[in-house]
């Protein structure tokens, strides 16, 4: 079974676009906002689930990871991305 995408090419493309990714990331922002809304049930006092660790896979420039850290300040948030420049942008956006 072959991979659908060449991971090296994907990594290179995202690495090249890291500096201006936010300009074209309208879909990612919309999906992120909807996912954050979907997590509202965790804030229900009847559920009372506070995660200890949250992983943002494919974090891009880190906006969702930052929002998750703000939502659950005691949780350890781990941002992962295939492209190192995206992780560097995430770190810069998070201020850490």
């Amino acid at each position: 079974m072959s991979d659908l995408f060449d991971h090296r090419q994907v990594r290179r493309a995202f690495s090249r676009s890291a500096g201006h990714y936010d300009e074209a990331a309208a879909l990612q922002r919309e999906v992120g906002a909807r996912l954050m809304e979907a997590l509202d049930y965790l804030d229900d006092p009847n559920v009372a689930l506070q995660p200890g660790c949250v992983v943002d896979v494919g974090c891009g420039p880190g906006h969702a990871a930052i929002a998750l850290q703000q939502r659950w300040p005691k949780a350890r948030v781990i941002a992962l991305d295939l492209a190192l420049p995206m992780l560097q942008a995430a770190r810069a956006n998070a201020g850490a």
Side-chain angles (χ1 to χ4, degrees):
M1 180 175 160
S2 66
D3 288 336
L4 182 61
F5 298 104
D6 181 341
H7 295 269
R8 292 171 296 185
Q9 286 183 324
V10 171
R11 181 176 42 250
R12 282 192 295 268
F14 278 97
S15 293
R16 284 191 306 269
S17 67
H20 56 276
Y21 186 77
D22 282 334
E23 298 166 16
L27 177 61
Q28 183 183 23
R29 285 190 300 275
E30 180 64 25
V31 169
R34 290 183 186 204
L35 287 171
M36 291 299 288
E37 287 175 13
L39 294 173
D40 285 346
Y41 79 94
L42 293 176
D43 296 330
D44 182 335
N46 296 321
V47 175
L49 177 62
Q50 294 293 309
C53 184
V54 179
V55 180
D56 181 2
V57 179
C59 69
H63 300 302
I66 293 165
L68 290 165
Q69 188 69 72
Q70 291 170 345
R71 182 180 206 126
W72 297 304
K74 293 180 181 177
R76 179 177 183 194
V77 176
I78 300 170
L80 300 174
D81 201 280
L82 187 63
L84 179 59
M86 285 292 190
L87 291 172
Q88 292 166 332
R91 175 175 277 173
N93 287 331

